[in-house]
Amino acid sequence: MQKVKIPRTIDPTRAAQKRLDVEGIIQVSLFKRLEESVEGVKRDAQVSLSFDLDEQRLVVISGKANIVVDLECQRCNEVFAHECDVQFTYTPYKGEKTEEEAPEEYDLVDLNEYGELDLIQLVEDEFILNLPQIAMHDEADCSVDSDNMVFGEIPEEIVEEEKPNPFDVLKSLKK
């Protein structure tokens, strides 16, 4: 099956009525915010989306996507490749009534002024939310060994002479 470019926007209600399935790629150049959040984006995103109506006649957008990004290890400061796989389920937000009716497993998503959904932004948001808070290699792959890390108290050899308090100067002004 040939991979095609995912459309930028889509009318989710119309797509759900047709029970549309979309599978394709999103080019790296469209992920500006993701590029700012990581060291680099290695390849285009592979995306699969399904539009459907549930038992409550709510529009359901479910999908999965994956991409490979470069992150900087916070332990050794080397760059490593991280595969980011996301799965999501959304329903369009149409006011307070939707928020009450929507099941917990659905996240709410806003539509633009034309009643369409920005698919690029939706997928990019999912990737950004899925990035690790503290990026690190697996301990086996990291160049910094856990035996070389120091936790807790600082050894006495490293502790310098006690430095004078910089606020002692203020005591002389008080007199």
Side-chain angles (χ1 to χ4, degrees):
M1 186 169 145
Q2 182 182 0
K3 297 283 183 182
V4 297
K5 291 181 187 175
I6 298 287
R8 179 153 202 110
T9 60
I10 196 166
D11 181 346
T13 306
R14 210 175 277 154
Q17 289 169 346
K18 294 179 183 177
R19 301 203 186 309
L20 188 65
D21 291 327
V22 180
E23 193 169 321
I25 61 170
I26 298 177
Q27 294 174 313
V28 172
S29 61
L30 298 174
F31 292 134
K32 301 291 184 210
R33 291 178 301 133
L34 180 64
E35 283 184 286
E36 292 170 4
S37 303
V38 297
E39 296 297 313
V41 181
K42 291 242 186 214
R43 64 170 169 78
D44 294 339
Q46 308 292 323
V47 181
S48 176
L49 298 165
S50 294
F51 297 85
D52 206 353
L53 296 171
D54 69 357
E55 296 83 26
Q56 297 178 9
R57 306 293 296 161
L58 288 173
V59 173
V60 178
I61 304 133
S62 58
K64 57 185 178 178
N66 71 24
I67 197 167
V68 177
V69 296
D70 284 332
L71 298 175
E72 183 178 351
C73 179
Q74 299 301 300
R75 221 181 329 209
C76 67
N77 295 329
E78 292 179 12
V79 175
F80 69 99
H82 172 74
E83 186 165 352
C84 196
D85 284 316
V86 294
Q87 290 188 347
F88 48 87
T89 306
Y90 286 101
T91 189
Y93 179 75
K94 296 176 183 167
E96 289 179 24
K97 193 174 182 184
T98 305
E99 195 169 328
E100 295 167 4
E101 291 176 353
E104 285 184 25
E105 58 267 8
Y106 299 163
D107 290 325
L108 298 176
V109 65
D110 286 325
L111 302 177
N112 66 14
E113 61 270 12
Y114 306 111
E116 294 183 333
L117 177 64
D118 187 339
L119 296 176
I120 310 304
Q121 182 179 349
L122 180 89
V123 172
E124 184 176 31
D125 288 346
E126 284 295 326
F127 285 142
I128 292 171
L129 288 171
N130 197 267
L131 291 174
Q133 282 186 334
I134 301 171
M136 288 188 284
H137 286 103
D138 287 334
E139 222 172 297
D141 299 333
C142 197
S143 63
V144 175
D145 189 18
S146 62
D147 296 336
N148 294 337
M149 291 189 268
V150 178
F151 299 102
E153 295 182 24
I154 300 174
E156 290 181 26
E157 309 91 53
I158 299 175
V159 178
E160 298 177 23
E161 298 176 18
E162 199 165 314
K163 296 180 182 176
N165 187 345
F167 295 103
D168 286 341
V169 175
L170 297 176
K171 288 181 183 175
S172 65
L173 293 174
K174 188 176 178 183
K175 292 178 184 178

